[in-house]
Amino acid sequence: MNILFLIFLAAGLCYIAAFAFALAAVKRRGAFRGFLIFAAAGFVLQCGGIAMRLVQTKFASPFANPYELFEIIACIFVLADIVSGRILKIKFTELFTMPPAALLTILPLACPKFSSYMQSHAEAGGAFSYTLAIHASLAVLSYGALLFAAVFAAMALLQRRALKRKSADEFSSGLLPLPRLEKFTCASLGVSAAFMTLSMIAGIFAALSVPVGVLMTVKFLAGFILCAMQISLFISVARSAVCGAQASKLAILLFAVALLLLAPIELRNLIQ
């Protein structure tokens, strides 16, 4: 069995354990230490696996196939959670980031092609490879920001529900005030849209030097659709054309659609 398979499996299991401790920490804050230990262990393991893959490919792009892309996105999720929770002092983000991080870490392992992909040793290939790496890196950052838009939106919905019911349990009392959650949602949508726009520009430049077939056309069409939705929702929220619970629900829906669009975006890599 490929060593990277075991590393990423261990990282995914650590994220699942971290989520369990995060749930327990809502009622018993002493359990939060367990979350930190398992989240950090999973993050270190995943970073180690990604670094091993970079060495294996002589520092080619870590986005050469969808399996690597999923691992990188999961890693970004966890890093963003550490930053928001420990540095920005935003509580309970781990309840929303750990499940997708665990899913995206473990999901590639279920594909029979995973081990064969991870045993390939393709090297970097000139300007096209580097432009493609920039395109993929910006897309990953966009997905990370979009996740946090969905996280803040979910928190806003829960806070709005608690305020409507005039209830204040341990969870709702620990959430940020509703105006700040809505502001963070809007800001995250803006960052996500900006990164995706730059990613699409880099992708167009990369595509200029290669033949554009049907699969490449499908990839770019899905990317343009996602980018257009991100920009439209950000402008609508920023101008208050869409606000309140509706804006929160649309932000969560957009993140779900973005995950679904990974299938056509990565279709070319999956069948090659």
Side-chain angles (χ1 to χ4, degrees):
M1 187 177 291
N2 191 291
I3 184 64
L4 288 173
F5 181 98
L6 297 175
I7 290 174
F8 291 135
L9 177 61
L13 293 175
C14 282
Y15 293 151
I16 292 173
F19 175 66
F21 276 101
L23 278 176
V26 173
K27 296 287 186 181
R28 185 168 51 87
R29 292 307 291 173
F32 192 73
R33 179 168 182 159
F35 159 76
L36 289 175
I37 291 171
F38 280 103
F43 182 72
V44 169
L45 282 167
Q46 196 162 41
C47 286
I50 292 167
M52 185 180 297
R53 178 62 179 164
L54 282 171
V55 172
Q56 184 185 70
T57 58
K58 298 185 179 179
F59 295 90
S61 166
F63 311 103
N65 60 66
Y67 312 112
E68 295 172 6
L69 182 63
F70 282 7
E71 297 298 335
I72 291 284
I73 293 175
C75 203
I76 292 291
F77 284 1
V78 178
L79 178 61
D81 175 65
I82 291 171
V83 170
S84 64
R86 308 304 73 76
I87 297 177
L88 300 179
K89 306 298 182 183
I90 301 175
K91 293 182 179 179
F92 302 125
T93 55
E94 59 275 358
L95 292 174
F96 302 88
T97 54
M98 286 299 113
L103 178 65
L104 290 175
T105 300
I106 294 177
L107 188 60
L109 309 183
C111 180
K113 289 186 176 181
F114 176 84
S115 292
S116 61
Y117 266 111
M118 289 303 180
Q119 287 170 354
S120 64
H121 293 250
E123 297 183 18
F128 170 74
S129 259
Y130 292 118
T131 307
L132 199 60
I134 292 171
H135 159 68
S137 300
L138 290 168
V140 166
L141 292 174
S142 176
Y143 267 84
L146 189 56
L147 166 74
F148 266 81
V151 167
F152 292 132
M155 287 181 169
L157 286 175
L158 292 171
Q159 187 69 289
R160 189 179 299 277
R161 181 183 178 188
L163 291 171
K164 189 177 292 186
R165 293 185 174 185
K166 296 182 179 180
S167 61
D169 54 20
E170 292 90 344
F171 180 75
S172 60
S173 61
L175 293 175
L176 292 174
L178 189 57
R180 288 189 67 191
L181 288 171
E182 291 177 342
K183 185 182 292 186
F184 281 145
T185 300
C186 183
S188 299
L189 286 171
V191 172
S192 176
F195 277 132
M196 188 57 73
T197 300
L198 293 173
S199 173
M200 293 306 301
I201 293 171
I204 291 170
F205 275 107
L208 291 176
S209 59
V210 296
V212 179
V214 175
L215 294 178
M216 183 72 80
T217 302
V218 170
K219 173 185 173 72
F220 272 99
L221 181 60
F224 277 122
I225 290 172
L226 176 57
C227 187
M229 288 192 296
Q230 288 173 288
I231 293 172
S232 298
L233 183 57
F234 168 64
I235 292 174
S236 298
V237 174
R239 298 181 63 182
S240 298
V242 176
C243 56
Q246 185 181 14
S248 299
K249 291 174 182 177
L250 286 174
I252 295 170
L253 178 61
L254 179 58
F255 177 66
V257 170
L259 289 180
L260 291 175
L261 284 175
L262 278 174
I265 287 172
E266 290 299 318
L267 179 63
R268 177 172 170 269
N269 292 327
L270 280 166
I271 67 176
Q272 280 183 341

